[in-house]
Amino acid sequence: MSANVLSPKVYIVGAGPGDPELITVKGMRILSQADLVLYTDSLVNDELIAKAKPDAEVLHSSGMDLEQQVELMVKAVQAGRSVARVHTGDPAMYGAILEQMVLLKQAGVTYEIIPGVSSVFASAAVLGAELTVPDLTQTVILTRAEGRTPVPERERLRDLAAHHCTVALFLSATLAKKVVAEFLAAGWSEDTPVAVVQRATWPDQKIVRTTLAQLPADLRAAGITMHAMILAGWALDPGLTDKDAHRSKLYDRSFTHGYRKGVKPGE
């Protein structure tokens, strides 16, 4: 089979956060060669979908339920066609792909997942932030506040926040008051830095830098209710770039590793 011809299966492709250039090279190749492109039209950039080949069948998924989507994909693969199921960000994070994989497997249809750039990392990039800062935090928790969809009891936000590390909150912009209450209950200070990025890397991207106490008011003032990533913790302190501190061991002159012999102090 030619390298330019895709196998008849379902490719679950992460499109990235919004900027059409932030899809992976492999993801772009699959998108541009697939016979059927089924994409999340409310979240995936149309400029990216325009890269589909001219004779591809391109369909929106927003008006379809799970069974309708899977039926289309199964029929396409059974007819010998390739399918690009295009999701926003990275499919592994709140992508609702497990339910698709279950039904595809039941139908005997092969699938492959192509990772993408998650909104959490796109947000960190536009903020100019490192989420794991030496001496501040070496852990990032990716989660969301409990809303209409419950979270397991052992994953209550205040219990996760008790680790006092960087916390990334998906799907939580409308629950800002609850977020603040849970973090304060976990012992966070009211002046803890928080950054919110709405529609990261899109032309209408919006950034709000605030503190934990001011989060609800500042989100209201900015009119942010959806499509937002909330990043909280002292790694989000915008003043960190004004200090020559929190250096890693990796590039310290005295730190020895497999590729470099460290220099002793005074040498």
Side-chain angles (χ1 to χ4, degrees):
M1 180 179 290
S2 169
N4 292 323
V5 177
L6 296 178
S7 300
K9 63 180 177 180
V10 174
Y11 298 86
I12 300 174
V13 180
D19 182 343
E21 293 185 328
L22 287 179
I23 191 173
T24 65
V25 174
K26 185 172 184 177
M28 179 63 83
R29 177 177 64 82
I30 290 168
L31 171 62
S32 65
Q33 296 175 6
D35 300 310
L36 169 62
V37 176
L38 182 64
Y39 77 107
T40 312
D41 47 298
S42 60
L43 297 171
V44 175
N45 198 323
D46 286 331
E47 289 183 31
L48 179 60
I49 299 303
K51 303 297 183 182
K53 65 182 182 179
D55 60 341
E57 182 181 9
V58 179
L59 299 174
H60 300 171
S61 66
S62 61
M64 303 179 191
D65 60 31
L66 174 64
E67 285 72 21
Q68 288 173 318
Q69 294 176 37
V70 173
E71 182 181 8
L72 281 170
M73 293 189 285
V74 169
K75 286 183 176 178
V77 173
Q78 290 175 341
R81 303 167 71 204
S82 56
V83 178
R85 175 66 178 106
V86 185
H87 284 262
T88 185
D90 183 279
M93 288 303 300
Y94 303 106
I97 62 171
L98 175 59
E99 59 200 43
Q100 297 175 61
M101 294 188 291
V102 168
L103 296 184
L104 290 171
K105 185 175 181 180
Q106 290 176 359
V109 170
T110 302
Y111 55 83
E112 178 182 345
I113 300 172
I114 314 302
V117 177
S118 172
S119 60
V120 61
F121 303 120
S123 296
V126 301
L127 290 167
E130 180 177 359
L131 301 181
T132 53
V133 177
D135 301 323
L136 283 181
T137 178
Q138 293 292 282
T139 301
V140 181
I141 292 176
L142 311 181
T143 188
R144 64 171 179 80
E146 185 173 34
R148 289 192 301 172
T149 302
V151 300
E153 178 68 21
R154 63 186 177 277
E155 295 178 14
R156 292 184 308 170
L157 191 51
R158 71 178 61 186
D159 294 333
L160 297 179
H163 293 284
H164 291 266
C165 57
T166 303
V167 178
L169 291 165
F170 292 73
L171 309 170
S172 302
T174 60
L175 300 167
K177 286 185 177 180
K178 183 173 185 177
V179 167
V180 172
E182 293 295 291
F183 277 57
L184 292 177
W188 286 45
S189 63
E190 292 187 345
D191 62 345
T192 301
V194 177
V196 182
V197 183
Q198 182 183 50
R199 289 173 61 82
T201 77
W202 288 78
D204 59 348
Q205 164 187 289
K206 189 180 293 185
I207 296 174
V208 173
R209 285 192 177 274
T210 183
T211 62
L212 187 60
Q214 288 297 118
L215 177 62
D218 286 347
L219 285 183
R220 283 196 305 273
I224 295 177
T225 59
M226 60 191 305
H227 304 318
M229 171 60 58
I230 300 173
L231 294 170
W234 285 98
L236 281 304
D237 181 358
L240 289 177
T241 54
D242 298 323
K243 308 169 186 175
D244 187 15
H246 304 292
R247 292 192 180 192
S248 70
K249 296 290 187 182
L250 181 60
Y251 300 112
D252 190 294
R253 292 182 73 240
S254 64
F255 189 65
T256 298
H257 56 68
Y259 295 93
R260 188 183 71 235
K261 183 178 180 180
V263 178
K264 295 179 181 180
E267 292 184 348

